[in-house]
Amino acid sequence: MSDAAQPTAAEVRAAAEAVKTALDRHLAAVERRSGEDDPAVYEAFNQLAAAAEVYDELLYDRYDEVTPFEIPGAEDSLPPYAGPEEPNAISVLIRRDYAVAEPQRLLAQAQRVEAAEYDDGPGADQDAAGTIHGALGILFGEFEPDEIASRHKEFGLEEGDSTLWVTAADEPAEPGEWLEAPFEAVDPQRVVCRFDVSAVFDDEDDEDIEGAEDAEDTEDVEDTDELDELDLEEDGELEPLDAER
């Protein structure tokens, strides 16, 4: 960034003052909160997040420094619940991502399903099992999504991120009403609960665990030697390990 485009020291100072003001407002809103999902607290949180982001950017542009804290953006959290207190209906929205890790295993499973359905001879759609998109259609048509989730490795799939949202409704939807765009009309303020699963969370936990393991490495040397001896059979050969364990 050129010197002309850099923020002035006064602008950085003003941004810092804005963070202080937003911090005071957030604390005041928390102290006066009327319930778990108080909209005033939610609004103060977003204002604090926005002020902190501006300050962080200006501080970096002017002084090449960053703040030691990180506030999640508003898009990372749901707004306060504003749906009916006693919903007459709910919708459960689920998304699960997979990678096709073993295409040949996927094709083999689909061909097995096809063979079982056409015991008396080849069927008209039997060639579909020979393509990846055809195999996916066969397997997801044969098995429930929950069963595929629990047996994904058998189908050559690798789990990615997943999310489940439970939303409240005043009345059940009319049959066929939302089928063309099932996730288009989700109102975030009617989300009762949400559950996310992501490798991002696992990576964060792994970093914490690795730090603790590194500190214990020198203490575990003797124990590791003992475990290696236990893996040896009486004839001195290594005992095969269970790959699924």
Side-chain angles (χ1 to χ4, degrees), residues 88-243:
N88 294 319
I90 63 169
S91 294
V92 180
L93 294 82
I94 301 175
R95 171 173 171 170
R96 298 187 180 109
D97 286 0
Y98 298 96
V100 180
E102 300 181 69
Q104 294 306 315
R105 181 183 291 271
L106 177 72
L107 294 171
Q109 290 284 14
Q111 290 164 3
R112 189 174 304 165
V113 170
E114 285 289 90
E117 290 187 359
Y118 298 103
D119 287 336
D120 298 334
D125 296 330
Q126 200 161 6
D127 291 340
T131 64
I132 296 297
H133 71 274
L136 288 169
I138 291 169
L139 292 175
F140 278 87
E142 177 70 16
F143 300 100
E144 293 290 335
D146 287 343
E147 185 172 2
I148 290 180
S150 64
R151 300 173 54 190
H152 62 277
K153 291 184 179 179
E154 296 179 34
F155 303 127
L157 302 175
E158 182 178 305
E159 284 184 316
D161 289 357
S162 66
T163 187
L164 182 151
W165 293 31
V166 179
T167 64
D170 296 314
E171 299 294 339
E174 293 294 329
E177 182 179 13
W178 49 262
L179 296 181
E180 293 298 322
F183 305 109
E184 190 174 71
V186 179
D187 183 353
Q189 290 190 304
R190 285 184 170 241
V191 176
V192 178
C193 56
R194 169 180 172 177
F195 305 96
D196 298 323
V197 177
S198 174
V200 173
F201 308 143
D202 296 337
D203 292 342
E204 292 174 354
D205 293 339
D206 290 343
E207 290 177 0
D208 295 337
I209 294 172
E210 285 175 3
E213 288 178 346
D214 291 342
E216 296 176 358
D217 281 347
T218 55
E219 299 177 4
D220 292 342
V221 172
E222 295 181 1
D223 293 340
T224 303
D225 293 339
E226 293 176 2
L227 290 174
D228 291 340
E229 292 177 2
L230 292 176
D231 285 337
L232 293 173
E233 296 182 344
E234 292 181 359
D235 57 2
E237 296 181 357
L238 284 173
E239 180 182 354
L241 298 177
D242 186 354

Side-chain angles (χ1 to χ4, degrees), residues 15-28:
E17 293 299 327
V19 172
K20 297 176 186 178
T21 300
L23 189 61
D24 289 338
R25 289 175 179 171
H26 181 261
L27 177 58

